[in-house]
Amino acid sequence: MNLLLRADFWWVAGLACLLVRLPWPGRPMLRFGLVNAGALALLLGWRQAAGAGLLALVAWALLTLLQRRGASGPAAPRSGLPLVYLVLAAGLFVLHKLDLERRAGGAALLPVDLLARLAYSYVFLRLVDAGRCVADGLRLLDPLSLLGYLCPFHMLVAGPVGVYRDHLAADEASPAPLGFAVALAGVDTVTTGLLYKLVLAEGLRIFAFGLDGPLRTAGLADSALLFVYLFFDFAGYSLVALGLGRLMGVPTPVNFDRPLLAANLTDFWRRWHASLGQWVRTHIFLPLQTRLVRSWGPSRARAAALLTLILSFTFVGLWHGLSVPMLLWGVALGTSLAAEKLVRDWLLRHRWAHGPGAQRLAQVLGPAYVFVAMVLLLHPVWGVLL
Amino acid sequence: MRPRWHRAAGLALRVLWVVVKLTLVAALLNRNAANFVYAGF
């Protein structure tokens, strides 16, 4: 059953907000880690919570070794530890994705559904972020706080991707007491999320497909409706997580920033599922582009940027589903963005494109272009995404 | 600085908006109400 429709989720969330904000001794994220462990046990059952705890403990042990290796300085011999950590995290991700596909077909690959219930696709991204930060010399959180970062109960449904640095900064800050205005702002965000998910998205679904009708994608009109449905559904979940995060004082990134008003596809991906975009930029796009430019030379910087875009979005496609159609979808997304970048670079060289008339036209036509492009790009993969 | 009544009115409006949203959510969770509303379409 959908977690947001379970009464116990809201009891647990309310209790967690109160408990995390109480002036207990200890660091704020340790407090959240403790409360989060209890929340996971109440919502998923003690076996699943113990599994999540074990996952965090193994990650913590590997990260401790990684941190010790980093502390021995640049003169330390090269070790394969970062690779072991990454291979373990990515191996579990591949298992999780294959298991999801097999479960959709009726036969599970793994004997337990722990990875699915923890939304491991998101946990994997957080593991990579934590690993990179610790390897770069940032402090490692204690195991309970790390569990709070990796598997926060309020992000179990659909992320967003938390940022390790933000979690660490919140751990080092002294928590402010929950005032009326902050509480009201948090409740306002949560209820807006519920309005998006349960009224606007569900209303649109009922309007288009009937009260109990399945989501179908017969033509492009269905695809356009589903795109708007997906926005309200996903943005709704993200707002609920954001509101609960604000109420508890736990860093929770903003995931959607009016993406339907984006001026172009690049702008769209900055606003839609922004936490994933930020992760891809930090962990794939920038390191890969830097490496390519260093190896190819600055004269081929543009080619490096275009190739990096395509490779980054190929990862985005595979992250959504480990299959050939999703791989091709990722390549198509990356190619569209690369083509758009070429056109924008060409326009920048022409003075007429900088005029107020052209800018106004771009403001008006931009969102329509983005909407049509995304409907066309999403049309072949609805079967996997929904 | 904003007058006190201005701030209070802002908070009251925000509370009212939260109540309106929760009412709408409760209405849509009630299948009969949802059926009634969307039967018009």
Side-chain angles (χ1 to χ4, degrees):
Chain A
M1 189 182 171
N2 187 333
L3 203 60
L4 294 190
L5 293 179
R6 277 171 50 179
D8 58 344
F9 175 78
W10 294 104
W11 283 115
V12 167
L15 198 62
C17 292
L18 289 175
L19 286 174
V20 174
R21 289 285 185 169
L22 280 178
W24 303 105
R27 286 180 179 273
M29 289 305 108
L30 174 61
R31 211 177 305 161
F32 172 68
L34 265 168
V35 171
N36 182 61
L40 288 177
L42 287 170
L43 294 173
L44 301 180
W46 71 268
R47 282 169 198 267
Q48 310 271 359
L54 186 67
L55 179 81
L57 202 61
V58 172
W60 179 82
L62 286 170
L63 288 171
T64 306
L65 293 174
L66 206 64
Q67 193 179 41
R68 280 191 193 153
R69 182 188 146 270
S72 39
R78 282 177 72 89
S79 110
L81 198 61
L83 191 67
V84 170
Y85 177 81
L86 190 64
V87 166
L88 278 177
L92 275 181
F93 174 74
V94 171
L95 264 180
H96 164 60
K97 284 294 181 187
L98 293 177
D99 182 50
L100 281 185
E101 286 206 3
R102 290 284 292 275
R103 275 177 199 276
L109 181 73
L110 298 173
V112 287
D113 62 349
L114 174 68
L115 296 178
R117 297 187 74 179
L118 288 179
Y120 184 78
S121 305
Y122 287 94
V123 179
F124 165 61
L125 301 181
R126 295 186 195 118
L127 277 169
V128 173
D129 192 36
R132 177 107 186 266
C133 287
V134 170
D136 286 349
L138 288 185
R139 180 169 70 84
L140 173 61
L141 290 163
D142 60 86
L144 263 176
S145 304
L146 189 67
L147 173 66
Y149 167 67
L150 293 175
C151 313
F153 79 94
H154 64 297
M155 300 189 207
L156 277 179
V157 180
V161 188
V163 180
Y164 186 80
R165 276 175 198 276
D166 293 351
H167 216 77
L168 206 56
D171 194 46
E172 279 155 12
S174 49
L178 184 64
F180 178 71
V182 177
L184 184 58
V187 172
D188 192 14
T189 309
V190 170
T191 49
T192 303
L194 289 175
L195 184 83
Y196 273 31
K197 161 72 192 139
L198 298 173
V199 178
L200 298 176
E202 279 302 288
L204 192 66
R205 186 186 66 76
I206 295 169
F207 164 66
F209 306 111
L211 201 57
D212 291 313
L215 298 171
R216 60 169 192 273
T217 51
L220 282 177
D222 282 344
S223 227
L225 271 171
L226 281 173
F227 179 44
V228 181
Y229 164 82
L230 183 67
F231 165 68
F232 283 117
D233 185 77
F234 196 3
Y237 279 130
S238 301
L239 280 174
V240 169
L242 179 67
L244 289 176
R246 282 179 178 165
L247 284 170
M248 292 186 287
V250 176
T252 310
V254 175
N255 220 15
F256 286 84
D257 178 20
R258 295 165 294 166
L260 298 180
L261 297 179
N264 52 54
L265 282 177
T266 311
D267 189 26
F268 174 81
W269 285 106
R270 225 174 273 133
R271 294 158 174 258
W272 176 284
H273 204 172
S275 63
L276 175 66
Q278 185 60 41
W279 187 96
V280 171
R281 203 169 304 128
T282 311
H283 297 288
I284 299 181
F285 185 83
L286 292 175
L288 192 61
Q289 192 184 24
T290 311
R291 189 162 283 200
L292 282 179
V293 171
R294 272 187 198 149
S295 131
W296 293 358
S299 60
R300 291 188 183 167
R302 183 196 273 186
L306 297 180
L307 181 65
T308 313
L309 255 181
I310 295 173
L311 290 176
S312 301
F313 275 88
T314 305
F315 171 82
V316 171
L318 288 173
W319 182 81
H320 281 88
L322 219 54
S323 61
V324 176
M326 293 312 290
L327 171 94
L328 296 176
W329 180 65
V331 173
L333 277 182
T335 311
S336 319
L337 269 106
E340 189 184 86
K341 182 176 166 44
L342 283 176
V343 172
R344 279 193 295 132
D345 287 353
W346 178 77
L347 283 172
L348 279 175
R349 289 197 295 270
H350 293 82
R351 191 178 284 177
W352 56 266
H354 298 270
Q359 295 287 330
R360 214 164 291 141
L361 196 69
Q363 274 174 1
V364 175
L365 291 182
Y369 147 70
V370 169
F371 189 83
V372 172
M374 282 315 298
V375 167
L376 291 174
L377 281 165
L378 285 167
H379 185 64
V381 289
W382 280 120
V384 183
L385 290 177
L386 292 174
Chain B
M1 197 173 153
R2 282 196 305 166
R4 215 174 190 178
W5 70 267
H6 198 253
R7 196 169 169 269
L11 284 177
L13 273 176
R14 210 164 184 186
V15 171
L16 187 67
W17 175 224
V18 166
V19 173
V20 168
K21 285 184 283 186
L22 285 175
T23 311
L24 284 168
V25 168
L28 211 96
L29 284 179
N30 180 329
R31 286 182 66 83
N32 289 334
N35 212 1
F36 174 76
V37 170
Y38 289 99
F41 291 112

